[in-house]
Amino acid sequence: MTASERSAQVLAAAVHAFAESGYAATKTDEIARLAGVSQPYVIRLFGTKQQLFLAALHQVCSRIEEVFRSAEIPPGTDTAEALRTLGENFDVFLAERELPLLLLHGAAASADPAIGDPMRDRFGRIYRLIGELTGAGTLESRRFVATGMLLTIMTAMQVAGSDAIALPWATEILDDLRTGTEPSC
């Protein structure tokens, strides 16, 4: 395996581990075990646990941006329809549950300036991208992001996504997002 492939393997293991346990509780030993490498090798590749967390966070945010950019919004589509089209991607985020979970852990770790500054920057980029892709103003973008954060919390509680515990209130919310007229994420 090349160094680049090994680095990608470690980063994938880090995304998984940090999404499940968060920044503070995840040990580089655990990431190394998941990647099938030694802990010193993880540190050699990424420097510190903090740098590895930031690399994982950047990868997740880039994937979120990629998912949004892949939405097929025809030119001239009105904002409400563009937001609905963009919101159809919420199934991707439910299937790739590490995306919203690591984003949530990034927000939780933002008291650390070394994490908070890049996290705020990346979240802001995602927020601005929503407006750019859909023509949404502040209110519409805020509602879209708020819906996305609701889904993130529901994913963390395991009432949304592939491993969801079926609860009536959660099913009601998810069904409404799939069929409703409000912009969704």
mmCIF file of all heavy atoms in Angstrom, residues 124-171:
data_model
loop_
_atom_site.group_PDB
_atom_site.id
_atom_site.type_symbol
_atom_site.label_atom_id
_atom_site.label_comp_id
_atom_site.label_asym_id
_atom_site.label_seq_id
_atom_site.Cartn_x
_atom_site.Cartn_y
_atom_site.Cartn_z
ATOM 1 N N GLY A 124 -19.495 28.054 8.056
ATOM 2 C CA GLY A 124 -19.881 29.252 7.308
ATOM 3 C C GLY A 124 -19.839 29.023 5.806
ATOM 4 O O GLY A 124 -20.700 29.512 5.063
ATOM 5 N N ARG A 125 -18.852 28.276 5.350
ATOM 6 C CA ARG A 125 -18.774 27.959 3.922
ATOM 7 C C ARG A 125 -19.963 27.125 3.477
ATOM 8 O O ARG A 125 -20.529 27.360 2.397
ATOM 9 C CB ARG A 125 -17.469 27.222 3.616
ATOM 10 C CG ARG A 125 -16.260 28.135 3.588
ATOM 11 C CD ARG A 125 -14.945 27.425 3.422
ATOM 12 N NE ARG A 125 -14.916 26.430 2.360
ATOM 13 C CZ ARG A 125 -13.852 25.701 2.079
ATOM 14 N NH1 ARG A 125 -12.742 25.854 2.772
ATOM 15 N NH2 ARG A 125 -13.887 24.810 1.112
ATOM 16 N N ILE A 126 -20.354 26.166 4.300
ATOM 17 C CA ILE A 126 -21.527 25.349 3.970
ATOM 18 C C ILE A 126 -22.775 26.222 3.934
ATOM 19 O O ILE A 126 -23.589 26.135 3.006
ATOM 20 C CB ILE A 126 -21.675 24.176 4.963
ATOM 21 C CG1 ILE A 126 -20.524 23.182 4.781
ATOM 22 C CG2 ILE A 126 -23.031 23.487 4.796
ATOM 23 C CD1 ILE A 126 -20.398 22.153 5.896
ATOM 24 N N TYR A 127 -22.912 27.086 4.932
ATOM 25 C CA TYR A 127 -24.066 27.992 4.990
ATOM 26 C C TYR A 127 -24.119 28.883 3.741
ATOM 27 O O TYR A 127 -25.164 29.019 3.110
ATOM 28 C CB TYR A 127 -23.982 28.844 6.265
ATOM 29 C CG TYR A 127 -25.003 29.944 6.331
ATOM 30 C CD1 TYR A 127 -26.314 29.666 6.704
ATOM 31 C CD2 TYR A 127 -24.661 31.250 6.017
ATOM 32 C CE1 TYR A 127 -27.267 30.681 6.766
ATOM 33 C CE2 TYR A 127 -25.600 32.260 6.073
ATOM 34 C CZ TYR A 127 -26.901 31.970 6.443
ATOM 35 O OH TYR A 127 -27.837 32.964 6.496
ATOM 36 N N ARG A 128 -22.994 29.488 3.377
ATOM 37 C CA ARG A 128 -22.965 30.356 2.191
ATOM 38 C C ARG A 128 -23.245 29.563 0.912
ATOM 39 O O ARG A 128 -23.895 30.052 -0.004
ATOM 40 C CB ARG A 128 -21.628 31.081 2.099
ATOM 41 C CG ARG A 128 -21.486 32.207 3.125
ATOM 42 C CD ARG A 128 -20.241 33.055 2.899
ATOM 43 N NE ARG A 128 -19.005 32.289 2.898
ATOM 44 C CZ ARG A 128 -18.311 31.956 3.986
ATOM 45 N NH1 ARG A 128 -18.746 32.327 5.170
ATOM 46 N NH2 ARG A 128 -17.188 31.269 3.880
ATOM 47 N N LEU A 129 -22.750 28.331 0.851
ATOM 48 C CA LEU A 129 -22.972 27.494 -0.323
ATOM 49 C C LEU A 129 -24.463 27.251 -0.552
ATOM 50 O O LEU A 129 -24.927 27.267 -1.698
ATOM 51 C CB LEU A 129 -22.227 26.160 -0.171
ATOM 52 C CG LEU A 129 -22.361 25.176 -1.331
ATOM 53 C CD1 LEU A 129 -21.794 25.761 -2.626
ATOM 54 C CD2 LEU A 129 -21.668 23.863 -0.982
ATOM 55 N N ILE A 130 -25.202 27.051 0.513
ATOM 56 C CA ILE A 130 -26.659 26.846 0.391
ATOM 57 C C ILE A 130 -27.295 28.031 -0.312
ATOM 58 O O ILE A 130 -28.091 27.865 -1.246
ATOM 59 C CB ILE A 130 -27.287 26.598 1.779
ATOM 60 C CG1 ILE A 130 -26.803 25.252 2.332
ATOM 61 C CG2 ILE A 130 -28.807 26.668 1.723
ATOM 62 C CD1 ILE A 130 -26.995 25.097 3.825
ATOM 63 N N GLY A 131 -26.940 29.237 0.107
ATOM 64 C CA GLY A 131 -27.469 30.438 -0.543
ATOM 65 C C GLY A 131 -27.033 30.561 -1.988
ATOM 66 O O GLY A 131 -27.830 30.910 -2.866
ATOM 67 N N GLU A 132 -25.762 30.261 -2.252
ATOM 68 C CA GLU A 132 -25.241 30.350 -3.624
ATOM 69 C C GLU A 132 -25.948 29.381 -4.561
ATOM 70 O O GLU A 132 -26.264 29.725 -5.699
ATOM 71 C CB GLU A 132 -23.739 30.046 -3.639
ATOM 72 C CG GLU A 132 -22.883 31.115 -2.995
ATOM 73 C CD GLU A 132 -21.448 30.643 -2.789
ATOM 74 O OE1 GLU A 132 -21.029 29.645 -3.431
ATOM 75 O OE2 GLU A 132 -20.750 31.267 -1.966
ATOM 76 N N LEU A 133 -26.181 28.173 -4.100
ATOM 77 C CA LEU A 133 -26.777 27.148 -4.959
ATOM 78 C C LEU A 133 -28.270 27.350 -5.183
ATOM 79 O O LEU A 133 -28.801 26.930 -6.212
ATOM 80 C CB LEU A 133 -26.545 25.754 -4.364
ATOM 81 C CG LEU A 133 -25.107 25.267 -4.320
ATOM 82 C CD1 LEU A 133 -25.008 23.946 -3.557
ATOM 83 C CD2 LEU A 133 -24.532 25.128 -5.729
ATOM 84 N N THR A 134 -28.941 27.971 -4.212
ATOM 85 C CA THR A 134 -30.401 28.045 -4.272
ATOM 86 C C THR A 134 -30.959 29.455 -4.425
ATOM 87 O O THR A 134 -32.148 29.602 -4.711
ATOM 88 C CB THR A 134 -31.008 27.453 -2.986
ATOM 89 O OG1 THR A 134 -30.628 28.273 -1.873
ATOM 90 C CG2 THR A 134 -30.571 26.010 -2.772
ATOM 91 N N GLY A 135 -30.136 30.465 -4.201
ATOM 92 C CA GLY A 135 -30.639 31.832 -4.201
ATOM 93 C C GLY A 135 -31.351 32.187 -2.905
ATOM 94 O O GLY A 135 -32.010 33.224 -2.816
ATOM 95 N N ALA A 136 -31.232 31.343 -1.901
ATOM 96 C CA ALA A 136 -31.908 31.569 -0.621
ATOM 97 C C ALA A 136 -31.304 32.757 0.109
ATOM 98 O O ALA A 136 -30.097 32.970 0.085
ATOM 99 C CB ALA A 136 -31.816 30.325 0.264
ATOM 100 N N GLY A 137 -32.182 33.515 0.765
ATOM 101 C CA GLY A 137 -31.752 34.607 1.624
ATOM 102 C C GLY A 137 -31.441 34.084 3.016
ATOM 103 O O GLY A 137 -31.459 32.871 3.267
ATOM 104 N N THR A 138 -31.209 34.988 3.919
ATOM 105 C CA THR A 138 -30.823 34.630 5.282
ATOM 106 C C THR A 138 -31.882 33.764 5.967
ATOM 107 O O THR A 138 -31.547 32.722 6.548
ATOM 108 C CB THR A 138 -30.577 35.904 6.117
ATOM 109 O OG1 THR A 138 -29.568 36.671 5.457
ATOM 110 C CG2 THR A 138 -30.125 35.569 7.514
ATOM 111 N N LEU A 139 -33.139 34.147 5.917
ATOM 112 C CA LEU A 139 -34.197 33.397 6.594
ATOM 113 C C LEU A 139 -34.318 31.982 6.026
ATOM 114 O O LEU A 139 -34.357 31.003 6.777
ATOM 115 C CB LEU A 139 -35.538 34.128 6.486
ATOM 116 C CG LEU A 139 -36.743 33.414 7.088
ATOM 117 C CD1 LEU A 139 -36.560 33.257 8.605
ATOM 118 C CD2 LEU A 139 -38.024 34.182 6.784
ATOM 119 N N GLU A 140 -34.356 31.884 4.710
ATOM 120 C CA GLU A 140 -34.510 30.559 4.085
ATOM 121 C C GLU A 140 -33.283 29.679 4.348
ATOM 122 O O GLU A 140 -33.430 28.493 4.652
ATOM 123 C CB GLU A 140 -34.720 30.722 2.577
ATOM 124 C CG GLU A 140 -36.002 31.450 2.234
ATOM 125 C CD GLU A 140 -35.910 32.178 0.906
ATOM 126 O OE1 GLU A 140 -34.867 32.779 0.606
ATOM 127 O OE2 GLU A 140 -36.910 32.131 0.170
ATOM 128 N N SER A 141 -32.101 30.254 4.265
ATOM 129 C CA SER A 141 -30.878 29.486 4.543
ATOM 130 C C SER A 141 -30.838 29.048 6.003
ATOM 131 O O SER A 141 -30.462 27.923 6.308
ATOM 132 C CB SER A 141 -29.633 30.320 4.216
ATOM 133 O OG SER A 141 -29.543 30.570 2.837
ATOM 134 N N ARG A 142 -31.243 29.938 6.896
ATOM 135 C CA ARG A 142 -31.259 29.597 8.321
ATOM 136 C C ARG A 142 -32.219 28.444 8.584
ATOM 137 O O ARG A 142 -31.900 27.517 9.330
ATOM 138 C CB ARG A 142 -31.648 30.815 9.154
ATOM 139 C CG ARG A 142 -31.698 30.532 10.651
ATOM 140 C CD ARG A 142 -31.983 31.766 11.486
ATOM 141 N NE ARG A 142 -33.098 32.572 11.059
ATOM 142 C CZ ARG A 142 -34.372 32.338 11.386
ATOM 143 N NH1 ARG A 142 -34.694 31.306 12.129
ATOM 144 N NH2 ARG A 142 -35.334 33.142 10.969
ATOM 145 N N ARG A 143 -33.389 28.481 7.994
ATOM 146 C CA ARG A 143 -34.354 27.386 8.177
ATOM 147 C C ARG A 143 -33.807 26.071 7.634
ATOM 148 O O ARG A 143 -33.976 25.013 8.236
ATOM 149 C CB ARG A 143 -35.677 27.716 7.500
ATOM 150 C CG ARG A 143 -36.488 28.716 8.262
ATOM 151 C CD ARG A 143 -37.808 28.950 7.571
ATOM 152 N NE ARG A 143 -38.638 29.847 8.359
ATOM 153 C CZ ARG A 143 -39.662 30.508 7.879
ATOM 154 N NH1 ARG A 143 -40.007 30.363 6.607
ATOM 155 N NH2 ARG A 143 -40.351 31.310 8.653
ATOM 156 N N PHE A 144 -33.142 26.141 6.487
ATOM 157 C CA PHE A 144 -32.570 24.950 5.882
ATOM 158 C C PHE A 144 -31.504 24.348 6.803
ATOM 159 O O PHE A 144 -31.489 23.147 7.067
ATOM 160 C CB PHE A 144 -31.967 25.315 4.523
ATOM 161 C CG PHE A 144 -31.495 24.134 3.738
ATOM 162 C CD1 PHE A 144 -32.358 23.469 2.883
ATOM 163 C CD2 PHE A 144 -30.190 23.692 3.834
ATOM 164 C CE1 PHE A 144 -31.926 22.373 2.135
ATOM 165 C CE2 PHE A 144 -29.750 22.601 3.100
ATOM 166 C CZ PHE A 144 -30.619 21.945 2.248
ATOM 167 N N VAL A 145 -30.622 25.198 7.305
ATOM 168 C CA VAL A 145 -29.569 24.733 8.206
ATOM 169 C C VAL A 145 -30.170 24.210 9.508
ATOM 170 O O VAL A 145 -29.732 23.194 10.042
ATOM 171 C CB VAL A 145 -28.538 25.855 8.469
ATOM 172 C CG1 VAL A 145 -27.590 25.490 9.605
ATOM 173 C CG2 VAL A 145 -27.750 26.152 7.196
ATOM 174 N N ALA A 146 -31.196 24.885 10.018
ATOM 175 C CA ALA A 146 -31.845 24.429 11.257
ATOM 176 C C ALA A 146 -32.440 23.030 11.071
ATOM 177 O O ALA A 146 -32.328 22.174 11.955
ATOM 178 C CB ALA A 146 -32.927 25.414 11.687
ATOM 179 N N THR A 147 -33.040 22.791 9.922
ATOM 180 C CA THR A 147 -33.575 21.464 9.636
ATOM 181 C C THR A 147 -32.444 20.441 9.565
ATOM 182 O O THR A 147 -32.557 19.333 10.096
ATOM 183 C CB THR A 147 -34.380 21.475 8.324
ATOM 184 O OG1 THR A 147 -35.450 22.412 8.449
ATOM 185 C CG2 THR A 147 -34.945 20.100 8.012
ATOM 186 N N GLY A 148 -31.348 20.825 8.938
ATOM 187 C CA GLY A 148 -30.188 19.945 8.878
ATOM 188 C C GLY A 148 -29.642 19.627 10.259
ATOM 189 O O GLY A 148 -29.261 18.486 10.548
ATOM 190 N N MET A 149 -29.624 20.614 11.137
ATOM 191 C CA MET A 149 -29.134 20.367 12.493
ATOM 192 C C MET A 149 -30.111 19.490 13.272
ATOM 193 O O MET A 149 -29.690 18.670 14.090
ATOM 194 C CB MET A 149 -28.860 21.686 13.217
ATOM 195 C CG MET A 149 -27.689 22.464 12.613
ATOM 196 S SD MET A 149 -26.182 21.495 12.307
ATOM 197 C CE MET A 149 -25.704 21.044 13.962
ATOM 198 N N LEU A 150 -31.403 19.625 13.027
ATOM 199 C CA LEU A 150 -32.384 18.722 13.643
ATOM 200 C C LEU A 150 -32.094 17.284 13.220
ATOM 201 O O LEU A 150 -32.070 16.373 14.052
ATOM 202 C CB LEU A 150 -33.808 19.120 13.248
ATOM 203 C CG LEU A 150 -34.926 18.148 13.645
ATOM 204 C CD1 LEU A 150 -35.019 18.017 15.161
ATOM 205 C CD2 LEU A 150 -36.251 18.594 13.044
ATOM 206 N N LEU A 151 -31.841 17.087 11.932
ATOM 207 C CA LEU A 151 -31.505 15.745 11.447
ATOM 208 C C LEU A 151 -30.191 15.243 12.045
ATOM 209 O O LEU A 151 -30.044 14.057 12.328
ATOM 210 C CB LEU A 151 -31.430 15.732 9.928
ATOM 211 C CG LEU A 151 -32.776 15.809 9.223
ATOM 212 C CD1 LEU A 151 -32.586 16.020 7.725
ATOM 213 C CD2 LEU A 151 -33.595 14.567 9.493
ATOM 214 N N THR A 152 -29.253 16.151 12.253
ATOM 215 C CA THR A 152 -27.985 15.782 12.881
ATOM 216 C C THR A 152 -28.215 15.282 14.296
ATOM 217 O O THR A 152 -27.692 14.231 14.693
ATOM 218 C CB THR A 152 -27.019 16.983 12.877
ATOM 219 O OG1 THR A 152 -26.736 17.335 11.527
ATOM 220 C CG2 THR A 152 -25.734 16.687 13.618
ATOM 221 N N ILE A 153 -29.014 15.997 15.056
ATOM 222 C CA ILE A 153 -29.333 15.592 16.433
ATOM 223 C C ILE A 153 -30.085 14.263 16.423
ATOM 224 O O ILE A 153 -29.798 13.362 17.220
ATOM 225 C CB ILE A 153 -30.159 16.678 17.154
ATOM 226 C CG1 ILE A 153 -29.373 17.983 17.285
ATOM 227 C CG2 ILE A 153 -30.659 16.181 18.507
ATOM 228 C CD1 ILE A 153 -28.135 17.886 18.139
ATOM 229 N N MET A 154 -31.029 14.118 15.505
ATOM 230 C CA MET A 154 -31.789 12.871 15.417
ATOM 231 C C MET A 154 -30.877 11.703 15.050
ATOM 232 O O MET A 154 -31.051 10.597 15.545
ATOM 233 C CB MET A 154 -32.939 13.022 14.410
ATOM 234 C CG MET A 154 -34.029 13.960 14.901
ATOM 235 S SD MET A 154 -35.306 14.270 13.649
ATOM 236 C CE MET A 154 -36.079 12.643 13.548
ATOM 237 N N THR A 155 -29.886 11.963 14.191
ATOM 238 C CA THR A 155 -28.922 10.927 13.832
ATOM 239 C C THR A 155 -28.104 10.533 15.059
ATOM 240 O O THR A 155 -27.883 9.345 15.315
ATOM 241 C CB THR A 155 -28.005 11.412 12.696
ATOM 242 O OG1 THR A 155 -28.815 11.729 11.554
ATOM 243 C CG2 THR A 155 -26.986 10.364 12.314
ATOM 244 N N ALA A 156 -27.663 11.520 15.814
ATOM 245 C CA ALA A 156 -26.885 11.243 17.027
ATOM 246 C C ALA A 156 -27.696 10.438 18.043
ATOM 247 O O ALA A 156 -27.155 9.585 18.747
ATOM 248 C CB ALA A 156 -26.401 12.550 17.655
ATOM 249 N N MET A 157 -29.001 10.683 18.103
ATOM 250 C CA MET A 157 -29.878 9.948 19.028
ATOM 251 C C MET A 157 -30.296 8.596 18.466
ATOM 252 O O MET A 157 -31.020 7.853 19.114
ATOM 253 C CB MET A 157 -31.124 10.768 19.357
ATOM 254 C CG MET A 157 -30.850 11.991 20.194
ATOM 255 S SD MET A 157 -32.358 12.809 20.771
ATOM 256 C CE MET A 157 -33.203 13.202 19.262
ATOM 257 N N GLN A 158 -29.887 8.301 17.257
ATOM 258 C CA GLN A 158 -30.206 7.052 16.555
ATOM 259 C C GLN A 158 -31.710 6.881 16.316
ATOM 260 O O GLN A 158 -32.242 5.776 16.369
ATOM 261 C CB GLN A 158 -29.629 5.844 17.282
ATOM 262 C CG GLN A 158 -28.115 5.835 17.277
ATOM 263 C CD GLN A 158 -27.539 4.620 17.938
ATOM 264 O OE1 GLN A 158 -28.009 4.175 18.979
ATOM 265 N NE2 GLN A 158 -26.518 4.057 17.316
ATOM 266 N N VAL A 159 -32.374 7.991 16.008
ATOM 267 C CA VAL A 159 -33.781 7.921 15.604
ATOM 268 C C VAL A 159 -33.933 8.321 14.135
ATOM 269 O O VAL A 159 -35.043 8.423 13.632
ATOM 270 C CB VAL A 159 -34.707 8.770 16.513
ATOM 271 C CG1 VAL A 159 -34.722 8.225 17.931
ATOM 272 C CG2 VAL A 159 -34.327 10.235 16.498
ATOM 273 N N ALA A 160 -32.795 8.535 13.459
ATOM 274 C CA ALA A 160 -32.769 8.791 12.022
ATOM 275 C C ALA A 160 -31.543 8.085 11.469
ATOM 276 O O ALA A 160 -30.525 7.969 12.145
ATOM 277 C CB ALA A 160 -32.693 10.290 11.743
ATOM 278 N N GLY A 161 -31.658 7.574 10.263
ATOM 279 C CA GLY A 161 -30.541 6.896 9.639
ATOM 280 C C GLY A 161 -30.752 5.396 9.554
ATOM 281 O O GLY A 161 -31.803 4.877 9.941
ATOM 282 N N SER A 162 -29.736 4.719 9.063
ATOM 283 C CA SER A 162 -29.861 3.287 8.799
ATOM 284 C C SER A 162 -30.022 2.449 10.062
ATOM 285 O O SER A 162 -30.603 1.372 10.022
ATOM 286 C CB SER A 162 -28.649 2.789 8.005
ATOM 287 O OG SER A 162 -27.467 3.029 8.746
ATOM 288 N N ASP A 163 -29.530 2.934 11.187
ATOM 289 C CA ASP A 163 -29.634 2.185 12.442
ATOM 290 C C ASP A 163 -30.700 2.774 13.367
ATOM 291 O O ASP A 163 -30.654 2.593 14.574
ATOM 292 C CB ASP A 163 -28.279 2.151 13.154
ATOM 293 C CG ASP A 163 -27.781 3.535 13.546
ATOM 294 O OD1 ASP A 163 -28.330 4.538 13.041
ATOM 295 O OD2 ASP A 163 -26.841 3.620 14.350
ATOM 296 N N ALA A 164 -31.671 3.457 12.781
ATOM 297 C CA ALA A 164 -32.662 4.201 13.561
ATOM 298 C C ALA A 164 -33.545 3.294 14.407
ATOM 299 O O ALA A 164 -33.966 2.223 13.981
ATOM 300 C CB ALA A 164 -33.537 5.033 12.634
ATOM 301 N N ILE A 165 -33.799 3.774 15.593
ATOM 302 C CA ILE A 165 -34.815 3.188 16.467
ATOM 303 C C ILE A 165 -36.121 3.857 16.058
ATOM 304 O O ILE A 165 -36.232 5.087 16.091
ATOM 305 C CB ILE A 165 -34.489 3.485 17.949
ATOM 306 C CG1 ILE A 165 -33.143 2.855 18.312
ATOM 307 C CG2 ILE A 165 -35.613 2.994 18.855
ATOM 308 C CD1 ILE A 165 -32.553 3.364 19.613
ATOM 309 N N ALA A 166 -37.081 3.085 15.627
ATOM 310 C CA ALA A 166 -38.336 3.645 15.118
ATOM 311 C C ALA A 166 -39.186 4.164 16.278
ATOM 312 O O ALA A 166 -39.692 3.391 17.081
ATOM 313 C CB ALA A 166 -39.097 2.599 14.318
ATOM 314 N N LEU A 167 -39.306 5.467 16.340
ATOM 315 C CA LEU A 167 -40.172 6.110 17.324
ATOM 316 C C LEU A 167 -41.181 6.962 16.563
ATOM 317 O O LEU A 167 -40.816 7.630 15.585
ATOM 318 C CB LEU A 167 -39.356 6.984 18.286
ATOM 319 C CG LEU A 167 -38.351 6.235 19.159
ATOM 320 C CD1 LEU A 167 -37.526 7.223 19.978
ATOM 321 C CD2 LEU A 167 -39.072 5.261 20.082
ATOM 322 N N PRO A 168 -42.439 6.970 16.998
ATOM 323 C CA PRO A 168 -43.475 7.683 16.246
ATOM 324 C C PRO A 168 -43.141 9.153 15.966
ATOM 325 O O PRO A 168 -43.341 9.630 14.849
ATOM 326 C CB PRO A 168 -44.723 7.547 17.127
ATOM 327 C CG PRO A 168 -44.479 6.310 17.932
ATOM 328 C CD PRO A 168 -43.006 6.256 18.160
ATOM 329 N N TRP A 169 -42.642 9.879 16.955
ATOM 330 C CA TRP A 169 -42.359 11.298 16.736
ATOM 331 C C TRP A 169 -41.250 11.486 15.700
ATOM 332 O O TRP A 169 -41.311 12.399 14.880
ATOM 333 C CB TRP A 169 -42.019 12.011 18.046
ATOM 334 C CG TRP A 169 -40.739 11.549 18.705
ATOM 335 C CD1 TRP A 169 -40.614 10.595 19.671
ATOM 336 C CD2 TRP A 169 -39.410 12.019 18.431
ATOM 337 N NE1 TRP A 169 -39.297 10.437 20.016
ATOM 338 C CE2 TRP A 169 -38.529 11.309 19.274
ATOM 339 C CE3 TRP A 169 -38.876 12.973 17.564
ATOM 340 C CZ2 TRP A 169 -37.158 11.513 19.278
ATOM 341 C CZ3 TRP A 169 -37.503 13.182 17.572
ATOM 342 C CH2 TRP A 169 -36.661 12.457 18.424
ATOM 343 N N ALA A 170 -40.240 10.616 15.705
ATOM 344 C CA ALA A 170 -39.137 10.727 14.753
ATOM 345 C C ALA A 170 -39.611 10.364 13.345
ATOM 346 O O ALA A 170 -39.263 11.040 12.373
ATOM 347 C CB ALA A 170 -37.977 9.835 15.179
ATOM 348 N N THR A 171 -40.402 9.321 13.245
ATOM 349 C CA THR A 171 -40.948 8.914 11.953
ATOM 350 C C THR A 171 -41.806 10.035 11.373
ATOM 351 O O THR A 171 -41.747 10.317 10.170
ATOM 352 C CB THR A 171 -41.767 7.619 12.110
ATOM 353 O OG1 THR A 171 -40.905 6.607 12.641
ATOM 354 C CG2 THR A 171 -42.351 7.168 10.788
#
